[in-house]
Amino acid sequence: MLYGKALRDRIASAGTTPLIGVHDMYSASLAARHYDGLFVSGFGFAASHYGLPDIGFIAWPDMVAFAERLRGAFPRHHLLVDIDDGYGDPELACHVVRRLERAGLSGVVLEDQKRPRRCGHADGKQVLPLDEYLEKLDQVLASRTDLLVVARTDATDEGDILIRAKALAATDADVVLVDGVRSVEAIRRIRGVVGGKPLLFNQIAGGKSPRLSLTELAALGVDVAVYSTPCLFAAHRAMEEAMTGLKSADGRLPAAEDGGSIGVGDATMMLTENLHRHSMR
């Protein structure tokens, strides 16, 4: 199966294609029951795998291993992976891309940040000179055969954003992403300079970008919507509440029907269904 082509075809269809951020296999199992497209964000992976912030700690073999497990578990889903800056020099970025393509991933996101890098919705981001990033991007594009590539800029100056977005749209990248877009009007300006190239919008709770529905995004000409952290933040909130409740109850577990959470039977049933579904693929 050509996973890159399948995602391109989906993006080219009407409306805005949603990709849901997952951070581990359990969150992926839940998200995959509701959506056919998954996204692995650097923010979520750094938090879940290392317990660290998204400032460049990810080692590429860890991300590749997780992506391989995802593809094995979800053979029919679109899988887009954030590879940050390619984890170093262009040669390493190309190696990672080739590994992910062999594993059957649908696509990758490659950013233009320089180290020390930051979450795309954090302050203090710095970007590479445009020509240096374009050289890395060209090498990555030349190293793939089918894999979809999202060219991402983390520029924050309005003029630089438009210059870079236009330059990225002129490459052979499949999709353009400007991360941390701050307004609807900014989306319109970016849409105007990228021409017919597909445009991706990244939403993260508490981030710098406006919260928009898929209908609103489609009206703005956005082709792909990535939801980076809904599973991670929901898990954070639920676990914090569970620990607070357990402590206040002197260690007595609430009944499942009282605690508002699933019980072991429900969780086991869901995981058993997933196992059966994957074994039948």
Side-chain angles (χ1 to χ4, degrees):
M1 178 176 179
L2 296 176
Y3 287 105
K5 181 181 183 300
L7 182 52
R8 286 187 193 88
D9 290 345
R10 174 64 188 275
I11 291 171
S13 64
T16 301
T17 298
L19 301 174
I20 306 303
V22 299
H23 58 278
D24 61 12
M25 296 303 294
Y26 195 72
S27 63
S29 294
L30 289 167
R33 294 160 66 94
H34 300 276
Y35 292 90
D36 65 0
L38 306 178
F39 172 64
V40 182
S41 75
F43 188 108
F45 188 74
S48 64
H49 196 75
Y50 304 104
L52 293 171
D54 183 21
I55 54 176
F57 287 109
I58 296 173
W60 70 264
D62 294 336
M63 180 61 88
V64 169
F66 178 49
E68 289 173 340
R69 292 199 303 274
L70 277 175
R71 176 48 80 206
F74 307 103
R76 299 178 183 86
H77 281 68
H78 305 295
L79 297 177
L80 180 68
V81 178
D82 179 7
I83 60 169
D84 295 338
D85 61 349
Y87 309 109
D89 58 39
E91 289 75 17
L92 181 52
C94 292
H95 174 71
V96 172
V97 162
R98 287 191 291 266
R99 284 284 301 269
L100 290 172
E101 182 160 25
R102 287 200 299 271
L105 275 294
S106 307
V108 297
V109 180
L110 181 71
E111 69 188 28
D112 63 357
Q113 283 197 53
K114 64 180 180 180
R115 301 211 166 204
R117 65 170 308 283
R118 298 281 186 272
C119 166
H121 287 251
D123 295 327
K125 297 187 297 180
Q126 301 179 75
V127 292
L128 294 167
L130 179 57
D131 58 349
E132 185 176 337
Y133 172 70
L134 290 176
E135 182 179 351
K136 178 188 286 189
L137 177 63
D138 284 343
Q139 291 184 49
V140 164
L141 291 169
S143 72
R144 60 92 186 251
T145 53
D146 171 64
L147 193 77
L148 178 142
V149 175
V150 178
R152 163 179 158 178
T153 181
D154 281 85
T156 55
D157 175 78
E158 183 175 333
D160 194 25
I161 287 173
L162 297 180
I163 290 171
R164 287 174 181 256
K166 184 175 182 179
L168 301 189
T171 71
D172 289 332
D174 300 282
V175 181
V176 171
L177 162 61
V178 177
D179 212 9
V181 178
R182 294 172 182 261
S183 68
V184 168
E185 188 51 46
I187 297 173
R188 292 194 178 99
R189 289 193 292 269
I190 294 164
R191 176 74 271 174
V193 300
V194 301
K197 185 76 73 172
L199 183 64
L200 186 152
F201 179 71
N202 178 27
Q203 299 191 82
I204 181 169
K208 296 184 180 299
S209 299
R211 295 183 300 112
L212 300 169
S213 70
L214 291 173
T215 301
E216 291 169 322
L217 289 171
L220 290 167
V222 172
D223 303 277
V224 191
V226 164
Y227 297 82
S228 292
T229 57
C231 294
L232 178 70
F233 289 175
H236 176 115
R237 182 174 59 252
M239 287 188 286
E240 181 67 28
E241 291 174 354
M243 293 302 98
T244 300
L246 186 63
K247 188 174 183 180
S248 65
D250 191 29
R252 186 188 300 278
L253 285 171
E257 59 270 19
D258 296 331
S261 61
I262 66 170
V264 63
D266 293 327
T268 300
M269 182 180 296
M270 189 204 77
L271 293 172
T272 301
E273 289 175 354
N274 286 338
L275 177 63
H276 178 71
R277 183 166 60 250
H278 302 154
S279 67
M280 296 296 289
R281 66 179 183 268

